[in-house]
Amino acid sequence: MKPALYPCLWFDGKAQEAAELYVSLFRNSSIKSSNPMVSYFELDGNPFMALNGGPEYQPNASISFYVTLEDPEELENIWNELMVEGEAFIPLGSYDWSEVYGWVQDRYGVTWQLSLGKVAEVRQSIVPLFMFCGDQQGKAEEAISFYRDVFNGTEEVFIARYEPGQVKLEASVVHARFKLNDQLFMVMDSAVPQPFTFNEGISMVISCDTQEEIDHYWNHFTEKGQEGVCGWCKDPFGVSWQVIPSMLGQLMSNPEKAPRVGAAFMKMKKMEIETLVNA
């Protein structure tokens, strides 16, 4: 079985509040579990984690969520709710690529691209979209190659490139889709300068069953990336990943064992399953 892969959203004390808003907007959505530190939830069957990490980081538009909706009324209702204390990056309207489309940053800093279309054609209703900009401008195609090497069996679904002379910045990929561990991703090179780039505000979690899996991802990401603590690291493009054991939640749910497990992983960079189990 391939390790589970899902996004983590960083909040300053409002993780559960944000999760409750999101599950109220999307069909087939619910909060799976929640505590003062994290909330796990699903949006139309797509898993997410919301983390109360403090004020140090905030999400930005370098990673957004591309949402395909088939009902224009539903799309407009979601747009209106996300716009409460939010900001439109691209106003809701009709564009060449979608009859109805808009890009909005919500009140928590998370950005959403809402598009009218057929989910079956996209193959997933909510998709993380990486925009290569700032100091990572123009590196989307290089990143696709890197991720295909890291995630064995990656499936490339679609790639479209800018026409020669279409943009003045270093940019090749206008839109690409590919699968990593059965999770669909989208990437693009920004067509205009952006004042931000990837940070810990939105990270990707890889939930691994074995130490071999943890070692594989950690070593690939950090070889030319950066080690963090508690299973966090950055890949060569600055995208943050949490490489964690799938059993961590079970270990932390044991009231007697949890304090020892917590003390153990707080001392770690790369997670070591044997050390956690024996804590």
Side-chain angles (χ1 to χ4, degrees):
M1 183 179 294
K2 298 176 182 178
L5 180 58
Y6 55 91
C8 172
L9 314 179
W10 183 295
F11 298 97
D12 183 11
K14 296 186 176 181
Q16 183 170 345
E17 177 183 305
E20 289 174 350
L21 171 66
Y22 299 148
V23 301
S24 74
L25 298 181
F26 295 96
R27 297 181 180 183
N28 307 316
S29 302
S30 63
I31 295 178
K32 297 302 182 182
S33 65
S34 188
N35 60 54
M37 181 60 69
V38 295
S39 292
Y40 293 93
F41 60 102
E42 288 187 356
L43 301 181
D44 196 21
N46 298 281
F48 284 77
M49 180 171 77
L51 170 68
N52 280 323
E56 187 173 1
Y57 302 108
Q58 293 182 338
N60 66 48
S62 60
I63 299 181
S64 60
F65 297 97
Y66 194 98
V67 183
T68 301
L69 297 154
E70 300 187 353
D71 181 351
E73 183 177 354
E74 181 183 14
L75 188 155
E76 184 174 0
N77 289 338
I78 294 173
W79 173 269
N80 290 337
E81 289 296 330
L82 292 174
M83 276 293 293
V84 175
E85 301 180 44
E87 177 184 358
F89 285 0
I90 298 179
L92 192 65
S94 180
Y95 299 90
D96 292 343
W97 58 89
S98 177
E99 181 182 347
V100 183
Y101 169 89
W103 191 340
V104 56
Q105 182 179 59
D106 69 28
R107 70 199 72 170
Y108 305 108
V110 180
T111 57
W112 307 83
Q113 299 187 54
L114 307 185
S115 180
L116 187 66
K118 297 295 184 181
V119 174
E121 295 178 359
V122 180
R123 300 171 64 170
Q124 192 170 298
S125 58
I126 303 176
V127 184
L129 188 152
F130 292 5
M131 179 168 63
F132 289 78
C133 52
D135 57 4
Q136 301 298 330
Q137 179 68 42
K139 297 182 180 179
E141 195 151 13
E142 180 184 347
I144 292 172
S145 178
F146 172 79
Y147 294 135
R148 295 189 75 180
D149 286 343
V150 175
F151 293 85
N152 298 325
T154 296
E155 176 189 358
E156 185 176 299
V157 179
F158 173 83
I159 186 167
R161 294 178 174 84
Y162 290 104
E163 296 293 332
Q166 187 175 357
V167 293
K168 296 181 180 180
L169 296 177
E170 182 180 356
S172 172
V173 176
V174 64
H175 186 83
R177 304 174 193 169
F178 55 92
K179 279 192 169 185
L180 306 177
N181 290 10
D182 297 324
Q183 163 72 54
L184 189 65
F185 282 82
M186 298 177 177
V187 299
M188 63 178 291
D189 289 315
S190 180
V192 298
Q194 303 289 357
F196 49 77
T197 190
F198 302 117
N199 72 356
E200 289 84 348
I202 298 181
S203 59
M204 297 303 303
V205 181
I206 307 180
S207 182
C208 300
D209 291 334
T210 68
Q211 189 64 47
E212 182 180 8
E213 290 173 346
I214 289 175
D215 293 346
H216 170 82
Y217 293 110
W218 184 269
N219 293 341
H220 276 80
F221 291 145
T222 62
E223 182 179 6
K224 295 183 179 179
Q226 182 180 340
E227 292 187 343
V229 296
C230 302
W232 286 69
C233 63
K234 290 187 177 184
D235 69 25
F237 307 96
V239 177
S240 291
W241 299 82
Q242 298 181 54
V243 185
I244 62 172
S246 57
M247 67 175 64
L248 184 60
Q250 180 181 351
L251 293 173
M252 291 299 292
S253 66
N254 183 324
E256 179 183 352
K257 196 176 184 66
R260 300 195 301 273
V261 173
F265 75 66
M266 289 297 289
K267 299 176 183 177
M268 296 178 180
K269 290 186 176 181
K270 182 179 71 175
M271 290 285 197
E272 300 288 346
I273 292 178
E274 184 177 1
T275 301
L276 295 174
V277 170
N278 293 330

